[in-house]
Amino acid sequence: MFDLIIRNANLPDGRTGVDIAVEGTKIAAVEPQIGALARTEIDATGRLVTPPFVDPHFHMDATLSLGLPRMNVSGTLLEGISLWGELRPLLTKEALVERALRYCDLAVSQGLLFIRSHVDTSDPRLVTVEAMIEVREKVKPYIDLQLVAFPQDGYYRSENGVASLNRALDMGIDIVGGIPHFERTMDDGRASVEALCRIAADRGLPVDMHCDETDDPMSRHIEVLAAQTVRFGLQGRVAGSHLTSMHSMDNYYVSKLIPLMAEAKINVIPNPLINIMLQGRHDSYPKRRGLTRVRELMDAGLNVSFGHDCVMDPWYSMGSGDMLEVGHMAIHVAQMAGLEDKKKIFDAITVNSAKTMGLEGYGLEKGCNADFVILQAADPLEALRLKPTRLGVIRRGKVIARSMPRIAELSLDGRPELIDSGRDYVPLG
Ligand SMILES: [Zn+2]
């Protein structure tokens, strides 16, 4: 007798009609038609059951603050940063915790159970750090939240940058961040990458930097990040977030850069929603898209995972905690619409992101944590197309969220009475 069995599931790898049995908090079996019974049985009715969505790049301290104290008029990254600077002195721990918990509720309902959030360390009060550490504890039963010490105003450019970042790490922040392209000079940027990688090596922590989030093709801090990663023996533990300057770089230079990044096993984290919204703002026409070279990086064997980055904050007035919306945008902006392309995009918001975050026990194999999401869709391609309802969200064997399927009733002569968008699709071949 198992604790839980999900029956008749389609899996992301293409298997259909599979049962998933759970004992306690772990997956005990994944096979067709398990004969044993369970205390709770859920019929997935041929829907997609996937490991939870994973967001490797978010800003939990800024989320849901849209309009405080005013809106971003130009819509640029730089106005967003200065707007956040206006809001920062007004932040209270209570309000930060409350907004973050509300976002986490939304995330759970979307089957998003793993989030890496950057936490701004620029305000020496470090109220953001205190608040996010409290949130990390509070959501632990349902969301794994990793925190990055992020010197938003610059590690060297801001008066308190160096001291505040180190204090945040002392307080228990998990990962070393940075923002080399925002330092005063290219040289300061290069020096910050080196200093931050050294801190990570000394403290035994991973690195995740906002890196080259600009349209400037000469912003080449990713090259330094890759080189310092190798120098300090941090291979596989370093992430480069955004890397939008690569979009505009010279092709010959990139032909040298990508193998260097592969050697350093850099985890690449583009943020398609934010990148298409914020980049190319100084262009008239033609306007650059600004997304990094997703296909080329994937082809070179780099681990590419997509982040949501922002929801309702000074940089982005949209967003819904739906990683399928992120993947949907990636398909368009990276022009990856082929069948194999879309499977890779789905991986980028699930297994690749789990690898970036170093998650243990993630997946749909025997022995993995019993965490999964049942979607109102048949397979990953349909999930990306429809951004469907999360019918059930299971964490460590317990249902923690459920939603009614989205079904429309039609009143049309001679036409069907109901449309279940996740049923009327006939897979090709
Ligand atoms: Zn960010």
Side-chain angles (χ1 to χ4, degrees), residues 85 93 139 146 172 176 178-179 228 286 317 321 326 373 400:
K93 184 175 162 190
V139 302
Q146 294 181 353
V176 181
I179 185 163
Q228 297 297 339
S317 62
V326 175
V373 181
I400 59 170

Side-chain angles (χ1 to χ4, degrees), residues 239-405:
S241 284
H242 293 294
L243 306 179
T244 52
S245 72
M246 287 183 71
H247 183 100
S248 300
M249 281 175 183
D250 172 70
N251 288 331
Y252 189 89
Y253 173 71
V254 171
S255 74
K256 178 201 167 196
L257 175 62
I258 290 182
L260 191 63
M261 293 167 67
E263 181 194 354
K265 297 189 171 62
I266 298 286
N267 295 294
V268 175
I269 310 178
N271 295 281
L273 295 168
I274 291 298
N275 297 153
I276 196 66
M277 180 64 93
L278 297 185
Q279 299 305 308
R281 288 279 179 158
H282 297 299
D283 295 352
S284 54
Y285 289 94
K287 252 183 205 299
R288 286 167 287 178
R289 298 167 185 231
L291 191 72
T292 194
R293 305 191 185 206
V294 173
R295 184 190 297 281
E296 290 77 3
L297 289 160
M298 284 180 168
D299 287 350
L302 282 129
N303 184 48
V304 177
S305 50
F306 296 127
H308 200 317
D309 204 356
C310 297
V311 171
M312 305 277 285
D313 70 9
W315 297 273
Y316 192 57
S317 62
M318 308 279 288
S320 58
D322 184 356
M323 293 307 293
L324 288 166
E325 191 177 324
V326 175
H328 189 269
M329 181 60 80
I331 288 169
H332 291 82
V333 184
Q335 298 180 327
M336 290 181 63
L339 293 181
E340 289 308 311
D341 289 342
K342 286 185 192 159
K343 287 180 193 163
K344 290 179 189 167
I345 298 283
F346 192 83
D347 284 348
I349 53 174
T350 52
V351 288
N352 296 6
S353 297
K355 187 177 174 197
T356 297
M357 287 182 61
L359 301 180
E360 286 173 14
Y362 179 90
L364 286 184
E365 305 299 327
K366 185 178 174 185
C368 290
N369 289 323
D371 302 342
F372 24 80
V373 181
I374 307 169
L375 294 157
Q376 191 188 351
D379 58 34
L381 309 189
E382 193 176 63
L384 284 162
R385 183 171 68 89
L386 296 174
K387 293 163 261 138
T389 301
R390 280 64 169 165
L391 300 172
V393 179
I394 289 109
R395 166 90 169 181
R396 308 294 137 91
K398 298 235 161 15
V399 178
I400 59 170
R402 56 172 76 224
S403 300
M404 298 297 290

Side-chain angles (χ1 to χ4, degrees), residues 53-71:
F53 297 105
V54 182
D55 181 1
H57 187 114
F58 194 63
H59 294 263
M60 191 79 84
D61 51 359
T63 194
L64 306 184
S65 68
L66 182 71
L68 299 175
R70 62 178 178 84
M71 297 292 283

